[in-house]
Every structure is written in C-alpha cells, then in structure tokens.
Amino acid sequence: MRARLTTIATAAVLAVVVFAVGALGPGGSRDARSTRATAPVTPADAFLRPAQAAGSLDASIASLESKLDAAPDDPRALAALGIAYVQRARTTADPSTYPLAQVVLARSLKLQPTGNSEALLGLGTLAAARHRFTAALRWGRRAVEAAPFDADVYGLVGDAQLELGRYGAAFTSFQRMIDTRPDLASYARVSYALELRGNVDGAIAAMRAAYDVAADPADAAWAAAHIAKVHFDAGRVEQAETWFRRARAADPGSMDAEAGLALIAWASGELEEGIAGYERLATRYPSPEHVAVLGDLYAASGDREAAAAQYELVRAEARLFRANGVDTDLEIALFEADHAVGGSARAALRAARAEWSRRRSVHVADAYAWALYANGKYRRASAVSAEALRLGTRNALFLFHAGMIQVRLGDEPAARSLLQEAFDVNPYFSVRWSPVLRDTLARLGDG
C-alpha cells in the first residue's frame, strides 16, 4: 500500500506538469461535474462542499424543472435535476430533497437504462451523501461500465471504497482518476489519501495543486480552506489562518473560511470571537457538525444551558436526516460518546456497533473504540482503537482516544506516549477535549 501511495504522490506531481501544457483544454475549462457532482466523500462530509451558492442553485433547479414541464421524459435533464437536488441538500443542510433526487434519478435511468452514466453517477452520489457506501460502490461500478473514460466515476468508486475501509482499492481508484483527468476533484482525493497515511506535507502539496487549477473563486476558496484545514489539523495555526483568510478573500461567503477562522480565534484564546463566528455559521448553515461545535464553545464559556440546547438540536437534526434516508450512526456514535449522559453512552455504543457491522474504516474504528470507552469496556476499546491507527494517520483525536483508553487500563507509559503524540500533532484538535488532554498530561507527568 505504501508503494501505491508513492505512485499517487508521483502522479500528482506529474499532473501539475501536464496541466502546465494545457491538459484541461482551452481556457483551463473543465466539466463542471468533476467537483459539483462528485466532490470527495469523507467523514463528516468534509469534502462534500456546496458546489453553488443557494441562489444560483435554486435558479438552476427552477430552470431544469421548467424544462421538464415541457419535456418530462428528458433523461439528461432528469439526471441533472437529481444531482441539483443532492446539492441543495448539501448547501442548506436540509436533507428533504434527497427523496426527490431519488425519484428523478430513478426515472432518468428507467427512461434510458443503458449508457446513462449521468444518472448512475447521480444515484451513486446520492447514496454516498446518505452514507450508504455499499450502494454507492455498486452504482459507481455500473457508472464505470457505462463511462470508463470519465474520471468522475473513478472518484465515486474510490470514495465509496475509502469509506468502507478498502484503502488499497480506493487509492488505486484515485490513481485512475488523476491519470484520467488531473483537476481539483482528483487532486483533493490524492490529498486526502496522503493525509490518511500520515503524509501531511504531501497532502498539502496535492491540495495546493487543486488550488492552482481552481476555475473560479468558489473553487479557489474551497481548496484554500482545505489547505488551511490540513495545516490546522497538524497544529500549524499561523499557516492555517493565512489560508483561511485566502479562502475568505476569494469567496467572502465561504462557510469553510468562517468555520476555520472561528476555530483559529478559539485556539488563540478569543473564545467570544469563536462563539460569534460559529453563531453566524450555524445561522447560515446549521449542519450538525457546526451546531455541535457551537455547543462545545458555549460549554467552554460556562453557559451549560445554551450548550444543552445546541446538543438537543444536533439530535433533532439527526432524526431529520434519518427520516430522509441518511445513515447517521457514525456521527451519532461520536457525538453521544462525547456527551455521555444517562442513556447517551448506550446509544453511542448501539450506533457504533451498527456502523462497524457495515464498514471497517479507521474513522468507524475510532468512533467504536470511543463508544466502548464511554461504556467502560476498555480492553475491547483498546483493540478497536489499534484498528483506527493502522494506517499511520496523524490524527490527534484518534491518538487522544487511544491514550485515554490506556489511562483507564492503567498503562501510564502507553497513555503518556499516545497523549503526548496527540498534543504534538495538534494541541487544538477539539474544543471539548483539548483541555482534558492538557490536564491529563500534566497529571501523568514525565513518568
């Protein structure tokens, strides 16, 4: 697997050279689907960015709906509308358009059952957005058969394989994607693959390549924000702030930049500024992730009542997502294990076990281990936590979880080593847990 990732990294470098001589065609243009339909799927949907502003997306949907009023059996227009509905759900954090997407994409495929790669890609993207990765992989493989020279289909297949924990296969799919078309979407996937293997500098280099080929300000802002995020996750706060500000300069409405700069403020000791930033963000885009962080910021400020209100909103949103066909077990497992009160620890373990039965990614392993920890099952938690670390990912949260499990098992040397590594990777990895990390390290001392 290490050799294959070296090949991916080399391909990313070579692709920069190819781009320099015009691989993307006149004017650097590209098929809009490359980022809009199949942005990489990662835990918490970090790479499932809104592809268009809500206003322009609504206009596109209205135009497609009008076109279909006149020609209701147009399979291409139906496929485009289905993908737009998926995008609307992502842009608004409102999953109620997923069922609509399912209907129109299925109709497109029924009207044109062969050669309809757009509908297949749309159905796979919808499945991935609903966190149904086995289904996404099936649709992606059918899309490969229908359009073997379309880079997007390999991105969809690789995304699903990645989420299912099939890392070697996923990296091969991403290699095929970047070989077919080096662009923002393929570079982003290479970046994430390298980050998973602990190659932070390689991940930043690949995302810089994505930034360099961005076709418009929104794409540039998205790539800049993810460069910033990789820096932040590596504890490089100054570099992260520089890139988050570049993202905001490229697109003043960038939600990624808003979230990032709010976290920078918190990490810099400006808690009220961080809260204000997340309040603005949660008003514009009330995703469960943003609402949960806002709750943790309120808790850090001592406002337990406001924090509890945000946590209940997270749970309500999770119910809404489930009602519209989205699997939220991974996110709920982590959230409830983090906020274990009363029956929430048991709910975390139920959700984590359900997700572990479906897929064995490192992120699911980490969530399962943490849910086991919240329920006092420390030996089993230790074994599962080792699965989360098997790729060598430089993830401070994974390391913190592993270290806290060793604390409970009484293995202070192992706990100290893991927690110190977590601190060295990123002392600002979590609003909720960074103070606990510092306190626990201080209590363990130098041994």
Side-chain angles (χ1 to χ4, degrees), residues 211-227:
Y211 177 79
D212 290 342
V213 300
D216 55 47
D219 281 355
W222 182 81
H226 281 282
I227 293 168

Side-chain angles (χ1 to χ4, degrees), residues 328-358 364-382 384 405:
T328 62
D329 280 340
L330 171 59
E331 293 76 19
I332 284 299
L334 271 175
F335 176 78
E336 296 293 7
D338 275 349
H339 305 88
V341 177
S344 67
R346 293 188 295 275
L349 188 53
R350 285 194 300 272
R353 281 175 171 158
E355 196 67 5
W356 188 243
S357 73
R358 290 188 288 267
V364 177
D366 174 68
Y368 186 20
W370 195 232
L372 288 162
Y373 169 91
N375 284 271
K377 300 179 183 296
Y378 305 124
R379 292 199 179 280
R380 176 63 176 149
S382 179
V384 177
I405 291 165

Side-chain angles (χ1 to χ4, degrees), residues 2 19 33 73 77 80 104 133 154 180 211 273-274 299 353 358 381:
R2 289 184 184 278
F19 170 70
R33 288 184 309 151
D73 293 337
V104 296
F133 299 108
Y154 298 105
T180 303
Y211 177 79
E273 186 178 340
R353 281 175 171 158
R358 290 188 288 267

Side-chain angles (χ1 to χ4, degrees), residues 214-307:
D216 55 47
D219 281 355
W222 182 81
H226 281 282
I227 293 168
K229 184 179 182 301
V230 178
H231 277 301
F232 187 84
D233 289 346
R236 304 170 184 175
V237 175
E238 290 184 7
Q239 295 96 319
E241 182 175 7
T242 296
W243 279 99
F244 279 129
R245 292 193 182 282
R246 286 191 190 182
R248 189 168 67 179
D251 178 6
S254 167
M255 289 178 287
D256 292 321
E258 182 87 47
L261 290 170
L263 280 179
I264 295 290
W266 162 76
S268 302
E270 301 293 336
L271 178 58
E272 291 304 317
E273 186 178 340
I275 289 173
Y278 262 90
E279 286 176 337
R280 290 191 298 270
L281 186 64
T283 299
R284 292 175 55 210
Y285 186 62
S287 72
E289 179 187 9
H290 294 152
V291 173
V293 173
L294 179 58
D296 288 345
L297 287 166
Y298 282 144
S301 75
D303 192 340
R304 301 292 176 180
E305 184 177 349

Side-chain angles (χ1 to χ4, degrees), residues 34-41 47-49 90 159 189 222:
S34 64
T35 56
R36 286 166 172 74
T38 57
V41 177
F47 281 78
L48 275 173
R49 72 179 182 87
R90 288 161 42 194
D159 294 340
R189 286 171 169 87
W222 182 81

Side-chain angles (χ1 to χ4, degrees), residues 311-325:
Y311 298 153
E312 284 308 307
L313 180 55
V314 171
R315 295 182 177 102
E317 289 182 323
R319 291 192 292 271
L320 175 64
F321 274 81
R322 285 197 299 271
N324 285 279

